[in-house]
């Protein structure tokens, strides 16, 4: 059971197959791409992002997945159980080639404690969301989500103009690292606290953050200068959010927006307790895990208290989906949930139309393939200025990591349209190799996560997880190329169940039929779930798009 | 939202279709059959068995499911969410026609308290196992399981001969009612305590129990007489197990085997507290649910204490999968798990070969169709005397309930063989209409239930629920006719996740291809799961049957 290997993995490029077809080549390249040093946070330990979100359980499992995918026939399906390839079974051409289940635990045992026990025995793997389901594409994925959130917050609170405003946040990891760039794209300054210098360096290098301040005073001086000048500059600050936020409250500093993206969902691995160094934290996580998790939770309580203090001053404050409110609540901060999650605050109206982080990657490795799809999106969706602006900014400001990829938030109707168009471009040779299309698990129809995606549902069905299970079954029935079911992504063990899917556009008619089904059904389940909960936007969308929802009528 | 309707439902018989094909006619008939008064415990409230295990959420949902199945095309799939038909989506001919998810809750909220809250709002349904997945066939289903368990216990503890021995148990409900007959078939007397006279009457009428005693003294006198005579007679006794078991301990009475099948998994609906009448219990469950559940749990603690006392005297004592040990433990009986569950004690070796409660029903309604399949099973499995004996006794002693059906415990290899043979019999006209094949969720590869099916796994993976999810995904990929994913079956909210599948033999080539895949893959996942846990029998079986398990080699 090898957890560390001194190796650099990069997905094969070009149009030559290493597996028997593009349907198996695609998961092979995307697994490898998840571990590309440009993409993954800690690829030598198989960690893609989000604390300990892995692509395979250990290196022996990785090797066997790769070998198995190379041999897999187009009427066979590989089963992957928490990152381990456990079986190959006979299915058929229109069935998924890979079925994945990661980190799922029977509810009564669905805690970090039990997970860690299993993990120590080599029986578990944390799949996060797109880490264990092989469709992480680096920080770009999250940039648009964060950008859309900041833009929507700006619209709600500042009349749509964030010039001269600044965002206070923490965490510059795999996802959180998107915050400074997203704030800049949205027109705001930002102060980004991060406790690991290496993370700041990485974000400076990739141009996601503009500058690093030497200390808090310097940071505040820079914020003052740039907001006065009306420039949207992002500042990184090395330090601990659990120390700096309370200090800002004490000093009476007033940001224009407050959020957080430390890995609070995982107290043992993702959140540095106040007063500790990162090295101490990693070491003691092994020697005394219970005490470490407790210390982290205590610091989170302090951190959340400061966020509540900002909110009390009327500053828009929201949880960015890392479950920090829950942790603080368990530590005694009774009103931790006074500030909302970003989904009910800003995202749910989009979910009602099946809109969310849709993405695709060019298996060729050729950036031109993505630029051609960018142009195709503009051609097919000619009058969405916001979308066009995003595509232009993304091309200009976002470096590809690993295989070139693009993300853009579209919903029911447009997804199938784009997928079919990309498939045609592969068929005609306009693209140099097939495209894979997937999405995040932060999604309209494929996740139940009562502290995040399904927080405060209108009918109270936040915790009902039939929906993501149906989504996974339906995507399997429709013929997605791989389908996954995860537990605990984003918000940690016990707090979410969710499903992923990826589908290959190989330019064939068979692929077109599958794409039309899957890229309709997948966002369709999101519209269905929200319509069932009573959201009028979703009911309207279902009618417009001709969904057949038996209890609602057409 | 109508929970009660004064109606009697019976599945259509014969070979005339009400839906557009046998693939949709089959779920239609099996849903209706689950509510046949001969089959269901309380069909007017949609309750099939197991406390509140329902076939549909309410009568409006039932009506819409029926209408939708009648209209459904053979490239469409109906989604059912906790008994409510929520969507119809385009899939393809080899995809399931119905996908079901029942009672699934995000783990942190996966409690009876939260479930009951949702239920009160009309947002939930408890699917139990085969209730909400439309393949319950009445008590026959459980008779063989119980029979196999008693026989195996007899083999382990009494040299294979139960003559003159007696079993003490309680609960004569949908499943528990099989106990007296199973004990008789296994050669033992039995004393069966049941607190509802109506349940005893039902079992007397269907010949599952032989006699009712007037009181405890009478019961013990009868047991004494029959055991001395070496006759395997079953005795019912009206009373409360939480009172009678301690009394037997006090009197120094020594049964030869002790178990229990009250619905302890559901304290609010399935277990009568000591000293209460059933009417009081039902009434107060509505007016003061928390107090009622507490009272039930307290009585369970007393009940389990008596079972522990029997065990201390060296009497084979086992939990029969109703989670009563967990409830008692939560009430302070620290050593409640001192007596084992029936699975690790008697069933696991069978699971290692994918063996478990395989079943089929004749959609024609014609008993002859089942007798012909009985004969076919004997023909194809000529040298299994135990199996032949079971088939003969079942035919002689077990009245069909609803559509004629048969159950028999076979595993990987034989399941596909039988399925293909039945499909041939439909094709040739030897059977008068199609057959459906399914199984219980008490199964080798499709359930994680750490207090029952996956108790005490060799590698400690009891609570890992990736396995049932993969099973459901694979059965969907393979083309089962309907596939379901449930939570909480058998042992209650929080304690299990499991999956069901049913496949139609309509005599076509397409069905044969699906049957070969699904009836191989489904038990195959069970062998895989046990091989992965390190059971040598499973590893051997995988090799013999040519399963492809990448980490184990062929
Ligand atoms: N859309 C969403 O809901 C959404 C999106 C992105 C991320 N998230 C959540 O945000 C969190 C971050 O995700 P990630 O992928 O970036 O994780 P990550 O583990 O890669 O990064 C977390 C970063 O926080 C830093 N950090 C930890 N404790 C800190 C402290 N006390 N002060 C300052 N910095 C600290 C770490 O050094 C690390 O760089 C996760 O909980 C994730 O689930 C949610
Ligand atoms: N193979 C298995 O693991 C397996 C098989 C069958 C049943 N079970 C479990 O056994 C239990 C019973 O299943 P069922 O379908 O028969 O349920 P049921 O609700 O139909 O029947 C339970 C019966 O127990 C009786 N009862 C309740 N409290 C009692 C008490 N204190 N004393 C005497 N009788 C009492 C009720 O009157 C009822 O008739 C369930 O928990 C089920 O999950 C497990």
């Amino acid at each position: 059971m090898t957890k560390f290997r001194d190796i650099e993995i990069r997905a094969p490029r070009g149009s030559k197959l290493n597996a028997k077809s593009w349907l198996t080549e695609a998961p092979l390249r995307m697994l490898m791409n998840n571990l590309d040093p440009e993409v993954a946070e800690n690829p030598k330990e198989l960690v893609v992002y989000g604390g300990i979100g892995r692509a395979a359980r250990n290196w022996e499992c990785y090797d066997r997945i790769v070998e198995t995918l190379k041999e897999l026939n187009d009427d066979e399906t590989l089963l992957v159980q928490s990152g381990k390839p456990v079986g190959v079974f006979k299915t058929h051409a229109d069935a998924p080639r890979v079925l994945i289940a990661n980190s799922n635990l029977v509810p009564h045992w669905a805690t970090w404690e039990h997970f860690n026990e299993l993990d120590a025995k080599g029986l578990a793997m944390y799949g996060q969301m797109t880490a264990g389901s092989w469709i992480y594409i680096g920080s770009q994925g999250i940039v648009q989500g964060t950008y859309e959130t900041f833009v929507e917050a700006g619209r709600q609170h500042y009349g749509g103009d964030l010039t001269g405003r600044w965002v206070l946040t923490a965490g510059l990891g795999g996802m959180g690292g998107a915050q400074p760039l997203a704030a800049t794209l949205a027109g705001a300054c930002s102060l980004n606290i991060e406790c690991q210098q290496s993370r700041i360096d990485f974000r400076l290098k990739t141009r996601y953050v503009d500058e690093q301040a030497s200390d808090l005073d310097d940071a505040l001086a820079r914020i003052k200068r740039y907001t006065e000048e009306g420039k949207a500059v992002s500042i990184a600050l090395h330090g601990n959010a659990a120390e700096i936020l309370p200090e800002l409250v004490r000093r009476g500093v007033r940001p224009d927006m407050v959020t957080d993206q430390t890995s609070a969902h995982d107290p043992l691995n993702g959140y540095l307790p106040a007063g500790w160094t990162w090295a101490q934290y990693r070491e003691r996580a092994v020697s005394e895990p219970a005490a470490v998790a407790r210390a982290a939770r205590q610091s989170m309580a302090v951190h959340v208290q400061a966020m509540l203090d900002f909110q009390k001053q009327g500053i828009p404050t929201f949880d960015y989906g890392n479950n920090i409110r829950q942790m603080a609540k368990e530590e005694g901060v009774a009103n931790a949930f006074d500030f909302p999650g970003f989904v009910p605050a800003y995202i749910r109206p989009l979910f009602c139309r099946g809109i969310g982080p849709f993405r695709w990657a060019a298996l060729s490795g050729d950036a031109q393939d993505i630029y051609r799809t960018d142009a195709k999106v503009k051609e097919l969706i000619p009058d969405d200025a916001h979308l066009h602006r995003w595509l232009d900014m993304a091309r200009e400001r976002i470096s590809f990591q690993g295989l070139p990829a693009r993300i853009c938030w579209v919903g029911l109707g447009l997804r199938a349209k784009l997928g079919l168009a990309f498939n045609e471009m592969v068929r005609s040779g306009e693209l140099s190799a097939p495209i894979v299309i997937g999405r995040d698990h932060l999604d309209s129809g494929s996740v139940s996560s009562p502290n995040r995606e399904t927080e405060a549902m209108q009918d109270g069905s936040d915790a009902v997880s039939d929906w993501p299970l149906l989504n996974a079954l339906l995507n399997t029935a429709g013929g997605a190329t791989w389908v996954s079911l995860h537990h605990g992504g984003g918000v940690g063990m016990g707090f979410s169940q969710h499903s992923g899917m990826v589908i290959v556009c190989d330019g064939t008619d068979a692929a077109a039929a599958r794409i039309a089904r899957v890229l309709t059904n997948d966002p369709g389940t999101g519209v269905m779930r929200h319509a069932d909960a009573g959201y009028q936007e979703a009911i309207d969308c279902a009618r417009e798009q001709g969904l057949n929802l038996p209890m609602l009528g057409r």
Side-chain angles (χ1 to χ4, degrees), chain A residues 52-259:
Chain A
I52 53 163
R54 286 192 159 77
R57 197 184 300 181
N58 54 46
W59 283 104
E60 289 80 3
C61 289
Y62 170 84
D63 290 340
R64 274 313 268 147
I65 294 172
V66 167
E67 285 163 27
T68 308
L69 286 173
K70 286 183 180 170
E71 296 159 10
L72 201 72
N73 292 310
D74 266 357
D75 63 350
E76 290 179 330
T77 296
L78 165 63
L79 303 190
V80 177
Q81 183 262 325
S82 286
K84 179 178 183 179
V86 290
V88 172
F89 290 90
K90 186 94 180 255
T91 54
H92 57 81
D94 274 324
R97 297 282 69 85
V98 188
L99 294 168
I100 297 174
N102 285 326
S103 345
N104 295 284
L105 293 171
V106 177
H108 187 71
W109 291 264
T111 61
W112 277 119
E113 289 66 34
H114 190 68
F115 174 87
N116 290 333
E117 240 176 69
L118 290 167
D119 200 17
K121 285 191 207 156
L123 291 173
M125 183 194 81
Y126 184 50
Q128 253 287 11
M129 299 191 134
T130 51
S133 60
W134 310 343
I135 184 72
Y136 188 61
I137 55 168
S139 295
Q140 185 196 164
I142 190 70
V143 174
Q144 192 184 24
T146 316
Y147 163 74
E148 299 273 357
T149 305
F150 288 157
V151 167
E152 177 62 19
R155 211 190 50 73
Q156 288 188 23
H157 306 297
Y158 301 109
D161 185 4
L162 287 172
T163 315
R165 307 268 171 195
W166 67 286
V167 179
L168 171 65
T169 187
L172 290 178
M175 305 295 242
Q179 297 177 106
L181 177 55
T184 298
L185 296 180
C189 287
S190 59
L191 175 55
N192 304 272
I193 305 162
E194 165 59 56
C195 65
Q196 293 188 74
Q197 183 58 43
S198 61
R199 295 299 176 96
I200 296 176
D201 293 341
F202 183 74
R203 293 303 168 183
L204 286 167
K205 198 178 80 187
T206 56
R207 303 193 300 147
Y208 271 56
V209 74
D210 295 313
E211 313 179 346
Q212 176 168 10
S214 56
D215 57 25
L216 181 55
D217 292 328
D218 178 34
L220 292 174
R222 290 179 196 234
I223 289 285
K224 186 159 184 293
R225 183 164 74 250
Y226 293 127
T227 51
E228 281 170 9
E229 292 171 358
K231 284 191 192 155
V233 179
S234 56
I235 318 284
L237 175 63
H238 186 212
N240 192 316
E243 297 164 12
I244 294 172
L245 263 80
E247 174 61 18
L248 289 169
V249 171
R250 261 190 301 277
R251 294 193 189 186
V253 175
R254 280 186 58 99
D256 298 296
M257 211 186 284
V258 178
T259 188

Side-chain angles (χ1 to χ4, degrees), chain A residues 174-176 194 196 199 240-241 261 263 265 272 322 442 452 490:
Chain A
M175 305 295 242
E194 165 59 56
Q196 293 188 74
R199 295 299 176 96
N240 192 316
Q261 281 197 43
S263 271
H265 71 276
L272 183 67
N322 63 355
L442 181 144
R452 200 164 101 171

